[in-house]
Amino acid sequence: QVQLVESGGGLVQAGGSLRVSCAASGRTDNRRAVAWFRQAPGKEREFVATINWSTGGTNYANSVKGRFTISRDNAKNMVYLQMNSLQPEDTANYYCAAAYYIGPYYVPTNPSQYGYWGQGTQVTVSS
């Protein structure tokens, strides 16, 4: 059984930084991708970033490229999302998700491709 637990959300001023974390437990198969999605009130869940566990390959939404960085810690089975230059439009509930049996160069962006989800952590950016 896979469990994903997010932490690190909070309130930050525009232009500030925040790092959210995702602790994964259960399966440690390297053939996986772990991603961050976000959902703001009244909006659909949208892709933010993903990382392929075996190769470290990454993929980002255009809206966060150059500002956000996804990384992983193999030893701790953790995934991080470093968010810099935050803007009010980044305000959302941020979810960690995992997809298994993923090829080494595949970095999926569709939420339907992810079978495991955390409960989310709220990030609020004030103007």
Side-chain angles (χ1 to χ4, degrees):
Q1 186 68 18
V2 175
Q3 285 191 320
L4 303 171
V5 179
E6 303 94 335
S7 62
L11 174 65
V12 63
Q13 288 189 332
S17 298
L18 201 62
R19 189 179 80 161
V20 290
S21 303
C22 174
S25 61
R27 294 171 62 183
T28 57
D29 191 334
N30 283 344
R31 297 170 297 167
R32 56 177 156 152
V34 180
W36 289 95
F37 291 81
R38 66 186 182 187
Q39 188 168 18
K43 294 188 177 181
E44 291 187 354
R45 190 167 297 190
E46 67 171 346
F47 167 75
V48 176
T50 188
I51 187 165
N52 186 293
W53 202 270
S54 63
T55 61
T58 58
N59 197 359
Y60 294 91
N62 287 335
S63 59
V64 306
K65 277 182 183 176
R67 300 189 298 126
F68 291 11
T69 303
I70 189 170
S71 62
R72 72 192 188 305
D73 185 323
N74 287 336
K76 296 181 179 179
N77 208 15
M78 297 280 295
V79 173
Y80 306 100
L81 185 68
Q82 177 66 43
M83 303 181 289
N84 298 329
S85 302
L86 282 161
Q87 299 302 316
E89 52 265 34
D90 294 316
T91 294
N93 204 358
Y94 282 71
Y95 296 91
C96 178
Y100 283 82
Y101 303 113
I102 295 296
Y105 301 105
Y106 189 40
V107 280
T109 63
N110 192 321
S112 67
Q113 296 170 297
Y114 290 82
Y116 301 93
W117 293 83
Q119 293 300 308
T121 185
Q122 178 67 35
V123 172
T124 303
V125 185
S126 62
S127 58

